Amino acid sequence: MRSHRRGSGRFTGPDRGGHFGPFGGKFVPETLMAALDELETAFHKARRDPAFHDTLNAYLRHYAGRPTPLYGATRLSRALGGLRIYLKREDLLHTGAHKINNTLGQALLAVRMGKRRLIAETGAGQHGVATATVAAHFGLQCDVFMGEKDTKRQALNVFRMQLLGARVIPVTSGTKTLKDACNEALRDWVTNVRTTYYCLGSVVGPHPYPLMVREFQSVIGKEARRQILQAEGRLPDALIACVGGGSNAMGLFHPFVKDRGVRMIGVEAGGTGLRPGEHAATLVKGTPGVLHGARSLVLQDRHGQILETRSIAAGLDYPGVGPEHAFYRQLGRARYAAVSDRLALEGCRLLARTEGIIPALEPAHAIGYLKQLANRLPKHSLVVLGLSGRGDKDVETIARALPDV
Ligand SMILES: *Cc1c(COP(=O)(O)O)cnc(C)c1O
């Protein structure tokens, strides 16, 4: 068995103020400081309470479908020639993606805090659906903020949320997309903080959200660590996952962060090219700035105006990224690459044809990167890929982009 050096406290952050090196923190109006403090206190109390973990674990198991399999994708591996790839099957979870890990944790926290109303922001609607799902399950009122443009592009998810009993509030400010929905959710929280819990969808936003969402998503990496040790008797050489806000990647990466021999690769949306407005590759192309309550890397112009983003994968289409990823990039602990729409579609088809699994377009970006990865790693390297979601939601988009399959 190969030994892996463990070490460096640098990766155990954030500090008490929520900083990961120069990134993170709380950049919010004074009126939200008290709400964030209340949330932080409740979270740390829950985190230390074995009863909270027992309850959450029971829901993850019996309601969401954990543990998810770690599947040795031998046909995919053979097609790529060289790597030995395992897939962490978050696509098999209830609601079709990893997002339920986080919304279950936060809903339980809301119930503990005595809040009767959940609010959430959503872009494509995936986090909105996962929030509406747990709100229904725990009998909470649920309002989801969604850019008006997105409500039209993602009408089916709007209906799903409504079917689950949530109200979808179209946001008409700015570009009428996800970043405007985030602003509106924060604004609502300021006004209704006594009764309302803000269920944020990724490892972004002000402290304690990046820490909290990481904790709830780390179940992915903890399971994968145990499963790969059982299957192979050693740790993987590399982890690879797609990065939108960064929650599924952080959930997979974090339990391995002190294992210095395990490489980490995050794959962002390269869209149609790497000029401004054509992509959503924040870690590859962003610059330091403040967005949605935290300092991180941001896609912005010289004047600090947020740039438009684009990606074939709606879940990656966001101009910010979690502060902990920005820190890992700075330290060189993780590496980040951009994969184009076209290459992601190829990845999608490759997994469908070799393994009989249609991935969501978000993790299809990670699959699309595997050929390049195979050229960079020694032959027979062991790789765990985070398959964050299933492709059902994307079939129409894929059909339009690949008319001749
Ligand atoms: C939302 C979503 C993502 C992107 O969000 P992260 O916070 O970066 O994980 C990735 N994959 C799927 C399937 C999603 O629904």
Side-chain angles (χ1 to χ4, degrees), residues 110-119 135 138-142 194-197:
V111 169
R112 260 176 94 100
M113 293 171 76
K115 312 281 182 186
R116 301 298 309 159
R117 175 174 177 254
L118 294 186
I119 56 169
F138 292 106
L140 304 170
Q141 191 193 331
C142 181
R194 218 173 41 77
T195 57
T196 298
Y197 182 98

Side-chain angles (χ1 to χ4, degrees), residues 67-73 86-89 223-229 231-232 252 383-385:
T68 58
L70 183 72
Y71 166 67
Y86 280 80
L87 305 175
K88 183 57 177 160
R89 301 286 313 269
E223 281 177 12
R225 202 169 195 285
R226 189 159 30 80
Q227 290 166 319
I228 197 77
L229 284 173
E232 294 283 339
L252 177 64
V383 175
V384 173
L385 184 146

Side-chain angles (χ1 to χ4, degrees), residues 358-392:
I358 301 176
L361 282 171
E362 291 85 4
H365 284 70
I367 299 158
Y369 189 70
L370 286 173
K371 268 190 197 145
Q372 270 168 272
L373 192 65
N375 293 333
R376 275 178 203 183
L377 295 182
K379 233 177 158 46
H380 308 304
S381 289
L382 193 56
V383 175
V384 173
L385 184 146
L387 194 61
S388 55
R390 66 178 86 126
D392 306 30

Side-chain angles (χ1 to χ4, degrees), residues 6-8 11-12 253-260 262 264 324 328 333:
R6 265 178 94 84
S8 185
F11 303 122
T12 52
F253 291 177
H254 193 261
F256 295 88
V257 79
K258 292 180 189 168
D259 301 301
R260 306 303 299 277
V262 180
M264 298 171 173
E324 192 165 9
Y328 286 6
R333 180 61 190 92

Side-chain angles (χ1 to χ4, degrees), residues 243 253 265-268 283-284 324-325 328-329 334-338:
V243 176
F253 291 177
I265 299 113
V267 183
E268 298 191 298
L283 288 152
V284 172
E324 192 165 9
H325 282 291
Y328 286 6
R329 191 195 80 151
R335 306 213 174 271
Y336 299 90

Side-chain angles (χ1 to χ4, degrees), residues 95-348:
T95 70
H98 67 292
K99 291 205 167 70
I100 194 88
N101 301 325
N102 172 44
T103 56
L104 268 175
Q106 291 203 50
L108 278 173
L109 194 58
V111 169
R112 260 176 94 100
M113 293 171 76
K115 312 281 182 186
R116 301 298 309 159
R117 175 174 177 254
L118 294 186
I119 56 169
E121 81 295 337
T122 199
Q126 295 303 108
H127 173 59
V129 168
T131 305
T133 298
V134 296
H137 184 74
F138 292 106
L140 304 170
Q141 191 193 331
C142 181
D143 289 336
V144 179
F145 293 92
M146 190 169 186
E148 193 188 39
K149 200 163 141 191
D150 292 330
T151 61
K152 293 189 177 131
R153 289 193 285 198
Q154 305 287 339
L156 198 59
N157 272 341
V158 172
F159 180 71
R160 271 196 191 104
M161 289 183 261
Q162 290 167 339
L163 186 61
L164 290 159
R167 191 160 61 130
V168 178
I169 303 170
V171 175
T172 54
S173 55
T175 52
K176 305 182 173 102
T177 57
L178 177 58
K179 75 171 171 54
D180 311 292
C182 291
N183 291 333
E184 212 51 49
L186 282 168
R187 216 164 290 149
D188 180 292
W189 200 30
V190 173
T191 342
N192 302 301
V193 67
R194 218 173 41 77
T195 57
T196 298
Y197 182 98
Y198 179 17
C199 182
L200 213 153
S202 191
V203 285
V204 300
H207 180 64
Y209 284 105
L211 165 65
M212 199 163 70
V213 179
R214 178 188 87 195
E215 292 280 297
F216 290 136
Q217 292 293 2
S218 287
V219 65
I220 302 171
K222 284 179 192 158
E223 281 177 12
R225 202 169 195 285
R226 189 159 30 80
Q227 290 166 319
I228 197 77
L229 284 173
Q230 188 159 32
E232 294 283 339
R234 69 174 183 97
L235 293 177
D237 299 302
L239 307 170
I240 181 167
C242 64
V243 176
S247 70
N248 86 87
M250 191 52 69
L252 177 64
F253 291 177
H254 193 261
F256 295 88
V257 79
K258 292 180 189 168
D259 301 301
R260 306 303 299 277
V262 180
R263 295 176 200 232
M264 298 171 173
I265 299 113
V267 183
E268 298 191 298
T272 50
L274 285 180
R275 282 186 299 271
E278 292 184 344
H279 63 89
T282 314
L283 288 152
V284 172
K285 285 288 183 182
T287 50
V290 172
L291 180 67
H292 300 134
R295 192 178 156 76
S296 187
L297 292 171
V298 182
L299 291 171
Q300 56 191 339
D301 67 15
R302 278 184 298 129
H303 310 291
Q305 290 295 312
I306 302 305
L307 292 168
E308 293 221 24
T309 53
R310 77 159 309 287
S311 169
I312 194 164
L316 304 184
D317 205 350
Y318 177 64
V321 71
E324 192 165 9
H325 282 291
F327 190 42
Y328 286 6
R329 191 195 80 151
Q330 179 178 302
L331 294 172
R333 180 61 190 92
R335 306 213 174 271
Y336 299 90
V339 157
S340 68
D341 289 353
R342 177 92 343 239
L343 205 50
L345 284 162
E346 274 178 35
C348 178

